[in-house]
Amino acid sequence: MQALQQNEFQELVHRYPRAIMLTTTDARIAYVNRMFSSITGYDPQEVVGRAPSVLSSGVHSKKFYQAMWESLLNEGHWEGVIWNRRKNGETYPQWLSISKVEIDRRRLFASMFIDVGDLAAGDERLASLAYYDPLTELPNRALFQEFLKARVSIRREAHKCCAILFIDLDFFKSINDLHGHECGDRVLQQAAVCIQSALRTGDMVARLSGDEFAAIVELDSSEEVDVICQRMTQAFQVPLMCDRKEYFLSASIGVALYPKHGETGSTLLQNADHAMYTAKLSGRGCYRMYNAEDTEQGRFKQRLSEALIASLKSAPEEFSVVYQPQYQLATGQIVGLEALFRWNHPHFGAVSPDDFVPIAEQRGYIQELTEGLVRCILADLPVAADDVPSGLKLAINISARQINDSRLEGTLAPLFARLRQIGWLPEIEITETHLMHLSSACLAWLHEFGQQGVTVALDDFGTGYSSLAYLHKLPVQVLKIDRQFIKRLGGEGNDTRIVSAILAMAEALDLDVVAEGIENEDQYRQLCELNCHRGQGYLMSKPVPWHTLHADLACRYQ
Ligand code: C2E
Ligand code: CA
Ligand code: CA
């Protein structure tokens, strides 16, 4: 076989589909090929003769380069991910391998690299999988931690600050649970784009795990971080599109500043995580700066959450149920009851369901909670029809997240059977904000429920986003107007507009309406005048235990 001519060989190298750069031992660039120019943006004449540091991004510390040199000198080889800067200023990750070579007795270093962010690089990118999340194409936790260490040491040398953002998507689990993992994956990809859109060139973002992301943001002043976080929370306000469906996602962001909130990468990440938890506690969809006192609260919540799980598993006696009567407003007669769950812990005392229900949802114990509720109700209700007035509705609250749980039907069956036995009617209440996220399979399931004689009520109506057109399609028969609208009735700032609009709409759609949170006579009277059918509130009765209620069931509100 004929040997390659020198010029043929040169052409081969020149056209090779990886970037190639030769450097002399005194650190001058001696040769670059075509792929080098297309990745870095530099023509050969702009870089040959210069130090390879023209390519560096400033991301890595001195130590990083020292380690690289040591490995090159001792083993003759170095390979790994390195962030460099293109001519246009953009930093990008490359998979670089450098080897010592000898050409015509000249010792050189041959570097070969690919742009790992470039999809067209195909199989080559596989080499970088250890450092990249294949779903979002973002650096993974391992690479993030490496960079974090590097950046902190550079910022220290330069006496500059930076911010670590810990970003956690809100209610992502429910998208996964309700619409499947494929949809969840696509939503995650879009969320990654959303996060990146709020950052600037030179900032770095990674996917740590599941629905957790983190970013390193370089700052000239600590105020800049507010602008970035605001931009990020706003970016999430636009619904994400997936399969031509809209998803309302939000993110909770925790921020830790270097050097104010920590000197090392790991402390900073941990503190940003704590701050994220505070953002969750403050209602989600917002950002919070790290604060040591908040962390104390976070620990409290952690302990509470452990206690709840333990109690649900092994201390049924700590749970009970109270019932709040619902009245036919025109006659004052009791027409139904809403069952509300109670938890009394020996150490934490009476914990509000507003605190423990979300914990059970987040920790995946909502099904156990409903089982507990049903057990308590069954213990209270009589078994014979003549012990209670007939035809009352019993409403229970169900979390939208449990609707596609196959165990739910079995859990509720004994309750429904008992209600039938005493001539009562079951109703389930689902919060409006969650209902709009339900998949068609869940809606079909609700529909089936409806056909078995279970009414479905949309709880906290007015606080979510239900559009009229959508409402019409939902398998819902009752709207529960949220307390905040009932509050506006009567008194000085009397505002009947929203309530009367809801009532008019309900009438047009042939839906029943329950007003919740009626606290005074004025509100009661106005609701009667507006022709609202049903109502409940402290004015008529607070939620009470069964034994107190039982005797009053036949009474009227005068
Ligand atoms: P919700 O379904 O909106 O329940 C009504 C809440 O308003 C109850 O609080 C009730 O005590 C309170 N309330 C009733 N009348 C008035 C009034 O006139 N004024 C005021 N200010 N409040 C009134 P509670 O019992 O603390 O329950 C809070 C939330 O916890 C419930 O809101 C419901 O979303 C959830 N929850 C309670 N029990 C369960 C349960 O068994 N399962 C699930 N998934 N959620 C539950
Ligand atoms: Ca309710
Ligand atoms: Ca409600």
Side-chain angles (χ1 to χ4, degrees):
M1 197 172 71
Q2 206 186 338
L4 277 176
Q5 297 287 315
Q6 168 122 13
N7 56 352
E8 283 174 332
F9 182 73
Q10 268 176 5
E11 200 50 27
L12 198 70
V13 174
H14 192 61
R15 291 174 182 277
Y16 195 66
R18 281 191 181 198
I20 295 177
M21 171 176 85
L22 295 176
T23 346
T24 58
T25 41
D26 59 347
R28 296 286 140 191
I29 298 175
Y31 169 84
V32 297
N33 72 348
R34 200 165 62 173
M35 197 56 174
F36 174 97
S37 300
S38 89
I39 293 180
T40 63
Y42 288 108
D43 286 334
Q45 66 275 15
E46 292 176 291
V47 288
V48 169
R50 295 179 68 183
S53 57
V54 292
L55 305 173
S56 33
S57 60
V59 166
H60 304 281
S61 63
K62 270 190 195 144
K63 262 200 211 143
F64 177 89
Y65 291 107
Q66 271 163 8
M68 180 194 272
W69 273 107
E70 262 165 41
S71 148
L72 268 176
L73 295 174
N74 299 336
E75 291 148 44
H77 187 74
W78 184 88
E79 191 168 59
V81 175
I82 180 167
W83 284 63
N84 273 344
R85 199 183 292 281
R86 296 190 224 273
K87 190 177 167 186
N88 67 9
E90 188 188 1
T91 35
Y92 68 104
Q94 53 174 235
W95 182 265
L96 172 67
S97 76
I98 314 177
S99 311
K100 255 200 288 197
V101 291
E102 228 177 273
I103 301 174
D104 294 340
R105 303 235 182 93
R106 255 175 99 199
R107 286 176 52 203
L108 295 165
F109 291 109
S111 309
M112 260 201 223
F113 62 85
I114 53 157
D115 177 351
V116 286
D118 176 14
L119 279 173
D123 287 351
E124 311 281 15
R125 295 177 61 257
L126 288 179
S128 64
L129 275 185
Y131 287 106
Y132 280 83
D133 163 43
L135 181 68
T136 58
E137 309 273 330
L138 293 177
N140 63 13
R141 183 185 282 270
L143 186 56
F144 182 80
Q145 281 168 334
E146 241 172 70
F147 279 124
L148 185 56
K149 249 193 276 169
R151 289 245 178 148
V152 165
S153 72
I154 296 169
R155 299 310 272 185
R156 188 177 299 131
E157 278 165 28
H159 302 288
K160 289 201 154 172
C161 51
C162 65
I164 313 307
L165 273 48
F166 198 110
I167 305 146
D168 188 288
L169 305 183
D170 302 322
F171 302 118
F172 175 71
K173 194 175 170 293
S174 72
I175 293 193
N176 244 349
D177 291 350
L178 302 178
H179 305 284
H181 288 271
E182 231 170 83
C183 172
D185 282 356
R186 261 167 293 149
V187 169
L188 277 177
Q189 286 167 332
Q190 296 222 21
V193 173
C194 217
I195 293 170
Q196 279 168 305
S197 74
L199 299 174
R200 307 156 303 182
T201 357
D203 295 339
M204 122 140 213
V205 56
R207 179 174 172 216
L208 299 184
S209 66
D211 60 347
E212 286 176 355
F213 297 82
I216 310 173
V217 176
E218 285 176 13
L219 303 172
D220 289 321
S221 75
S222 55
E223 289 83 57
E224 276 174 66
V225 78
D226 288 306
V227 180
I228 292 170
C229 290
Q230 276 158 15
R231 211 161 43 209
M232 203 175 288
T233 42
Q234 271 162 19
F236 275 101
Q237 276 164 14
V238 183
L240 300 183
M241 287 299 289
C242 187
D243 275 349
R244 277 187 255 133
K245 263 198 224 128
E246 289 186 335
Y247 292 89
F248 288 84
L249 208 63
S250 65
S252 299
I253 307 167
V255 185
L257 296 175
Y258 169 82
K260 194 175 167 196
H261 300 139
E263 291 278 341
T264 65
S266 57
T267 316
L268 286 165
L269 190 60
Q270 194 181 24
N271 289 346
D273 186 2
H274 288 316
M276 183 279 292
Y277 210 72
T278 314
K280 291 257 183 214
L281 291 179
S282 330
R284 302 182 167 88
C286 59
Y287 70 96
R288 288 288 178 270
M289 196 68 75
Y290 173 72
N291 174 338
E293 280 168 31
D294 294 340
T295 306
E296 200 37 57
Q297 258 184 39
R299 286 202 195 100
F300 173 78
K301 180 123 190 237
Q302 185 62 29
R303 290 207 310 273
L304 191 67
S305 143
E306 301 304 329
L308 175 67
I309 291 168
S311 297
L312 281 173
K313 279 183 183 159
S314 56
E317 70 284 0
E318 288 173 18
F319 296 91
S320 60
V321 63
V322 288
Y323 304 84
Q324 186 173 37
Q326 298 182 334
Y327 299 79
Q328 186 165 30
L329 294 180
T331 62
Q333 200 175 5
I334 294 181
V335 288
L337 302 172
E338 178 179 5
L340 295 155
F341 208 30
R342 294 291 177 261
W343 178 35
N344 204 333
H345 186 265
H347 171 70
F348 293 107
V351 184
S352 160
D354 282 327
D355 294 324
F356 72 77
V357 172
I359 296 178
E361 287 178 342
Q362 279 159 20
R363 299 287 303 260
Y365 280 82
I366 192 67
Q367 183 59 28
E368 284 76 359
L369 187 142
T370 302
E371 281 167 20
L373 175 84
V374 168
R375 211 179 305 124
C376 290
I377 298 177
L378 288 177
D380 284 338
L381 289 186
V383 279
D386 8 313
D387 289 343
V388 281
S390 68
L392 296 197
K393 292 203 171 210
L394 182 79
I396 59 166
N397 294 281
I398 290 292
S399 159
R401 282 153 209 237
Q402 63 191 127
I403 285 193
N404 66 344
D405 189 320
S406 54
R407 296 172 293 172
L408 184 61
E409 221 171 327
T411 305
L412 298 181
L415 175 64
F416 293 167
R418 176 76 67 86
L419 292 176
R420 237 175 279 125
Q421 204 175 320
I422 61 171
W424 283 18
L425 305 161
E427 185 160 290
I428 55 181
E429 298 188 1
I430 297 173
T431 307
E432 184 196 4
T433 17
H434 292 142
L435 203 77
M436 61 164 292
H437 287 301
L438 291 185
S439 67
S440 50
C442 289
L443 292 179
W445 190 87
L446 275 183
H447 199 77
E448 209 174 289
F449 246 166
Q451 289 181 334
Q452 290 169 24
V454 183
T455 20
V456 179
L458 207 48
D459 207 351
D460 302 340
F461 185 75
T463 59
Y465 310 84
S466 302
S467 70
L468 262 181
Y470 189 59
L471 200 58
H472 187 57
K473 290 185 194 139
L474 290 176
V476 159
Q477 297 83 39
V478 181
L479 298 185
K480 286 194 85 171
I481 308 179
D482 192 68
R483 279 208 284 290
Q484 73 184 68
F485 302 114
I486 307 304
K487 248 199 191 113
R488 300 189 199 179
L489 297 182
E492 274 173 31
N494 189 22
D495 182 357
T496 57
R497 285 172 302 176
I498 293 179
V499 174
S500 54
I502 295 176
L503 286 165
M505 186 184 71
E507 195 178 341
L509 295 173
D510 203 17
L511 298 169
D512 199 5
V513 176
V514 181
E516 69 176 13
I518 305 173
E519 293 184 353
N520 59 49
E521 303 276 357
D522 242 6
Q523 293 165 341
Y524 191 104
R525 185 180 44 75
Q526 289 213 13
L527 285 162
C528 282
E529 282 167 11
L530 290 168
N531 205 12
C532 175
H533 322 141
R534 247 199 288 171
Q536 67 188 91
Y538 292 170
L539 173 69
M540 298 85 87
S541 170
K542 290 201 164 182
V544 287
W546 179 260
H547 61 87
T548 331
L549 172 84
H550 190 195
D552 297 341
L553 273 184
C555 295
R556 278 166 195 277
Y557 171 71
Q558 306 290 325

PDB file of all heavy atoms in Angstrom, residues 326 338-340 395-398 428-431 457-460 480 516 536, ligand 2:
ATOM      1  N   GLN A 326     -73.846  22.285  56.500  1.00  0.00           N
ATOM      2  CA  GLN A 326     -74.169  23.170  55.377  1.00  0.00           C
ATOM      3  C   GLN A 326     -75.686  23.360  55.399  1.00  0.00           C
ATOM      4  O   GLN A 326     -76.424  22.392  55.598  1.00  0.00           O
ATOM      5  CB  GLN A 326     -73.760  22.518  54.055  1.00  0.00           C
ATOM      6  CG  GLN A 326     -72.270  22.251  53.961  1.00  0.00           C
ATOM      7  CD  GLN A 326     -71.874  21.645  52.620  1.00  0.00           C
ATOM      8  OE1 GLN A 326     -72.680  20.996  51.960  1.00  0.00           O
ATOM      9  NE2 GLN A 326     -70.638  21.858  52.224  1.00  0.00           N
ATOM     10  N   GLU A 338     -69.734  18.952  55.845  1.00  0.00           N
ATOM     11  CA  GLU A 338     -68.402  18.767  55.274  1.00  0.00           C
ATOM     12  C   GLU A 338     -67.517  18.151  56.348  1.00  0.00           C
ATOM     13  O   GLU A 338     -67.433  18.669  57.464  1.00  0.00           O
ATOM     14  CB  GLU A 338     -67.788  20.091  54.804  1.00  0.00           C
ATOM     15  CG  GLU A 338     -66.364  19.885  54.261  1.00  0.00           C
ATOM     16  CD  GLU A 338     -65.676  21.151  53.746  1.00  0.00           C
ATOM     17  OE1 GLU A 338     -66.242  22.258  53.881  1.00  0.00           O
ATOM     18  OE2 GLU A 338     -64.556  21.015  53.204  1.00  0.00           O
ATOM     19  N   ALA A 339     -66.911  17.030  56.018  1.00  0.00           N
ATOM     20  CA  ALA A 339     -66.014  16.368  56.972  1.00  0.00           C
ATOM     21  C   ALA A 339     -64.628  16.980  56.862  1.00  0.00           C
ATOM     22  O   ALA A 339     -64.080  17.107  55.764  1.00  0.00           O
ATOM     23  CB  ALA A 339     -65.951  14.878  56.659  1.00  0.00           C
ATOM     24  N   LEU A 340     -64.053  17.383  58.000  1.00  0.00           N
ATOM     25  CA  LEU A 340     -62.717  17.988  57.996  1.00  0.00           C
ATOM     26  C   LEU A 340     -61.826  17.209  58.967  1.00  0.00           C
ATOM     27  O   LEU A 340     -62.210  16.947  60.108  1.00  0.00           O
ATOM     28  CB  LEU A 340     -62.820  19.461  58.398  1.00  0.00           C
ATOM     29  CG  LEU A 340     -63.598  20.320  57.392  1.00  0.00           C
ATOM     30  CD1 LEU A 340     -64.193  21.555  58.051  1.00  0.00           C
ATOM     31  CD2 LEU A 340     -62.711  20.720  56.217  1.00  0.00           C
ATOM     32  N   ALA A 395     -69.877  15.674  52.522  1.00  0.00           N
ATOM     33  CA  ALA A 395     -68.788  16.059  51.615  1.00  0.00           C
ATOM     34  C   ALA A 395     -67.434  15.758  52.248  1.00  0.00           C
ATOM     35  O   ALA A 395     -67.210  16.048  53.421  1.00  0.00           O
ATOM     36  CB  ALA A 395     -68.895  17.551  51.307  1.00  0.00           C
ATOM     37  N   ILE A 396     -66.555  15.136  51.474  1.00  0.00           N
ATOM     38  CA  ILE A 396     -65.182  14.958  51.943  1.00  0.00           C
ATOM     39  C   ILE A 396     -64.232  15.632  50.953  1.00  0.00           C
ATOM     40  O   ILE A 396     -64.553  15.784  49.771  1.00  0.00           O
ATOM     41  CB  ILE A 396     -64.793  13.468  52.099  1.00  0.00           C
ATOM     42  CG1 ILE A 396     -64.931  12.731  50.768  1.00  0.00           C
ATOM     43  CG2 ILE A 396     -65.622  12.786  53.171  1.00  0.00           C
ATOM     44  CD1 ILE A 396     -64.251  11.383  50.772  1.00  0.00           C
ATOM     45  N   ASN A 397     -63.073  16.039  51.462  1.00  0.00           N
ATOM     46  CA  ASN A 397     -62.076  16.692  50.600  1.00  0.00           C
ATOM     47  C   ASN A 397     -61.106  15.659  50.042  1.00  0.00           C
ATOM     48  O   ASN A 397     -60.584  14.825  50.773  1.00  0.00           O
ATOM     49  CB  ASN A 397     -61.291  17.729  51.401  1.00  0.00           C
ATOM     50  CG  ASN A 397     -62.173  18.881  51.831  1.00  0.00           C
ATOM     51  OD1 ASN A 397     -62.458  19.769  51.042  1.00  0.00           O
ATOM     52  ND2 ASN A 397     -62.641  18.833  53.073  1.00  0.00           N
ATOM     53  N   ILE A 398     -60.893  15.735  48.745  1.00  0.00           N
ATOM     54  CA  ILE A 398     -59.981  14.802  48.084  1.00  0.00           C
ATOM     55  C   ILE A 398     -58.924  15.627  47.366  1.00  0.00           C
ATOM     56  O   ILE A 398     -59.220  16.661  46.767  1.00  0.00           O
ATOM     57  CB  ILE A 398     -60.770  13.948  47.054  1.00  0.00           C
ATOM     58  CG1 ILE A 398     -61.711  12.974  47.772  1.00  0.00           C
ATOM     59  CG2 ILE A 398     -59.853  13.204  46.107  1.00  0.00           C
ATOM     60  CD1 ILE A 398     -60.998  11.882  48.536  1.00  0.00           C
ATOM     61  N   ILE A 428     -67.747  14.749  46.787  1.00  0.00           N
ATOM     62  CA  ILE A 428     -66.322  14.948  46.983  1.00  0.00           C
ATOM     63  C   ILE A 428     -65.930  16.337  46.508  1.00  0.00           C
ATOM     64  O   ILE A 428     -66.428  16.828  45.486  1.00  0.00           O
ATOM     65  CB  ILE A 428     -65.433  13.864  46.318  1.00  0.00           C
ATOM     66  CG1 ILE A 428     -65.720  13.713  44.841  1.00  0.00           C
ATOM     67  CG2 ILE A 428     -65.599  12.525  47.002  1.00  0.00           C
ATOM     68  CD1 ILE A 428     -64.867  12.625  44.197  1.00  0.00           C
ATOM     69  N   GLU A 429     -65.068  16.973  47.296  1.00  0.00           N
ATOM     70  CA  GLU A 429     -64.635  18.335  46.983  1.00  0.00           C
ATOM     71  C   GLU A 429     -63.198  18.310  46.492  1.00  0.00           C
ATOM     72  O   GLU A 429     -62.326  17.707  47.119  1.00  0.00           O
ATOM     73  CB  GLU A 429     -64.709  19.213  48.236  1.00  0.00           C
ATOM     74  CG  GLU A 429     -66.113  19.341  48.778  1.00  0.00           C
ATOM     75  CD  GLU A 429     -66.221  20.381  49.903  1.00  0.00           C
ATOM     76  OE1 GLU A 429     -65.201  21.023  50.244  1.00  0.00           O
ATOM     77  OE2 GLU A 429     -67.321  20.524  50.445  1.00  0.00           O
ATOM     78  N   ILE A 430     -62.975  18.950  45.352  1.00  0.00           N
ATOM     79  CA  ILE A 430     -61.620  19.026  44.805  1.00  0.00           C
ATOM     80  C   ILE A 430     -61.297  20.490  44.546  1.00  0.00           C
ATOM     81  O   ILE A 430     -62.120  21.228  43.999  1.00  0.00           O
ATOM     82  CB  ILE A 430     -61.518  18.224  43.493  1.00  0.00           C
ATOM     83  CG1 ILE A 430     -61.792  16.758  43.811  1.00  0.00           C
ATOM     84  CG2 ILE A 430     -60.144  18.364  42.868  1.00  0.00           C
ATOM     85  CD1 ILE A 430     -61.892  15.893  42.602  1.00  0.00           C
ATOM     86  N   THR A 431     -60.116  20.881  44.951  1.00  0.00           N
ATOM     87  CA  THR A 431     -59.731  22.282  44.810  1.00  0.00           C
ATOM     88  C   THR A 431     -59.600  22.679  43.345  1.00  0.00           C
ATOM     89  O   THR A 431     -59.051  21.932  42.544  1.00  0.00           O
ATOM     90  CB  THR A 431     -58.393  22.514  45.534  1.00  0.00           C
ATOM     91  OG1 THR A 431     -58.550  22.026  46.844  1.00  0.00           O
ATOM     92  CG2 THR A 431     -58.026  23.961  45.593  1.00  0.00           C
ATOM     93  N   ALA A 457     -67.745  18.517  43.774  1.00  0.00           N
ATOM     94  CA  ALA A 457     -67.780  19.963  44.002  1.00  0.00           C
ATOM     95  C   ALA A 457     -66.407  20.560  43.734  1.00  0.00           C
ATOM     96  O   ALA A 457     -65.383  19.969  44.076  1.00  0.00           O
ATOM     97  CB  ALA A 457     -68.202  20.253  45.439  1.00  0.00           C
ATOM     98  N   LEU A 458     -66.416  21.723  43.109  1.00  0.00           N
ATOM     99  CA  LEU A 458     -65.179  22.435  42.849  1.00  0.00           C
ATOM    100  C   LEU A 458     -64.940  23.367  44.037  1.00  0.00           C
ATOM    101  O   LEU A 458     -65.658  24.349  44.215  1.00  0.00           O
ATOM    102  CB  LEU A 458     -65.354  23.220  41.545  1.00  0.00           C
ATOM    103  CG  LEU A 458     -64.136  23.534  40.718  1.00  0.00           C
ATOM    104  CD1 LEU A 458     -63.274  22.312  40.539  1.00  0.00           C
ATOM    105  CD2 LEU A 458     -64.565  24.076  39.358  1.00  0.00           C
ATOM    106  N   ASP A 459     -63.948  23.026  44.862  1.00  0.00           N
ATOM    107  CA  ASP A 459     -63.675  23.763  46.099  1.00  0.00           C
ATOM    108  C   ASP A 459     -62.883  25.041  45.809  1.00  0.00           C
ATOM    109  O   ASP A 459     -62.198  25.123  44.795  1.00  0.00           O
ATOM    110  CB  ASP A 459     -62.850  22.850  47.025  1.00  0.00           C
ATOM    111  CG  ASP A 459     -63.057  23.171  48.494  1.00  0.00           C
ATOM    112  OD1 ASP A 459     -63.700  24.184  48.811  1.00  0.00           O
ATOM    113  OD2 ASP A 459     -62.565  22.380  49.326  1.00  0.00           O
ATOM    114  N   ASP A 460     -62.976  25.992  46.711  1.00  0.00           N
ATOM    115  CA  ASP A 460     -62.216  27.255  46.600  1.00  0.00           C
ATOM    116  C   ASP A 460     -62.428  27.912  45.240  1.00  0.00           C
ATOM    117  O   ASP A 460     -61.494  28.467  44.644  1.00  0.00           O
ATOM    118  CB  ASP A 460     -60.707  27.022  46.810  1.00  0.00           C
ATOM    119  CG  ASP A 460     -60.415  26.392  48.159  1.00  0.00           C
ATOM    120  OD1 ASP A 460     -61.293  26.491  49.045  1.00  0.00           O
ATOM    121  OD2 ASP A 460     -59.342  25.799  48.324  1.00  0.00           O
ATOM    122  N   LYS A 480     -68.098  25.659  44.992  1.00  0.00           N
ATOM    123  CA  LYS A 480     -68.020  26.240  46.335  1.00  0.00           C
ATOM    124  C   LYS A 480     -67.295  27.571  46.220  1.00  0.00           C
ATOM    125  O   LYS A 480     -66.101  27.602  45.922  1.00  0.00           O
ATOM    126  CB  LYS A 480     -67.242  25.321  47.278  1.00  0.00           C
ATOM    127  CG  LYS A 480     -68.027  24.104  47.700  1.00  0.00           C
ATOM    128  CD  LYS A 480     -67.356  23.418  48.880  1.00  0.00           C
ATOM    129  CE  LYS A 480     -67.771  24.029  50.209  1.00  0.00           C
ATOM    130  NZ  LYS A 480     -67.271  23.222  51.351  1.00  0.00           N
ATOM    131  N   GLU A 516     -68.985  29.391  51.123  1.00  0.00           N
ATOM    132  CA  GLU A 516     -68.301  28.968  52.351  1.00  0.00           C
ATOM    133  C   GLU A 516     -67.735  30.168  53.095  1.00  0.00           C
ATOM    134  O   GLU A 516     -67.446  31.199  52.500  1.00  0.00           O
ATOM    135  CB  GLU A 516     -67.223  27.930  52.061  1.00  0.00           C
ATOM    136  CG  GLU A 516     -66.027  28.455  51.307  1.00  0.00           C
ATOM    137  CD  GLU A 516     -64.929  27.392  51.128  1.00  0.00           C
ATOM    138  OE1 GLU A 516     -65.171  26.196  51.362  1.00  0.00           O
ATOM    139  OE2 GLU A 516     -63.828  27.787  50.758  1.00  0.00           O
ATOM    140  N   GLN A 536     -72.238  27.566  54.305  1.00  0.00           N
ATOM    141  CA  GLN A 536     -71.691  27.080  55.572  1.00  0.00           C
ATOM    142  C   GLN A 536     -70.795  28.173  56.132  1.00  0.00           C
ATOM    143  O   GLN A 536     -70.279  29.005  55.395  1.00  0.00           O
ATOM    144  CB  GLN A 536     -70.903  25.776  55.371  1.00  0.00           C
ATOM    145  CG  GLN A 536     -69.627  25.925  54.561  1.00  0.00           C
ATOM    146  CD  GLN A 536     -68.979  24.581  54.217  1.00  0.00           C
ATOM    147  OE1 GLN A 536     -69.261  23.996  53.163  1.00  0.00           O
ATOM    148  NE2 GLN A 536     -68.099  24.122  55.095  1.00  0.00           N
TER     149      GLN A 536
HETATM  150 CA    CA B   2     -63.529  21.752  51.241  1.00  0.00          CA
END
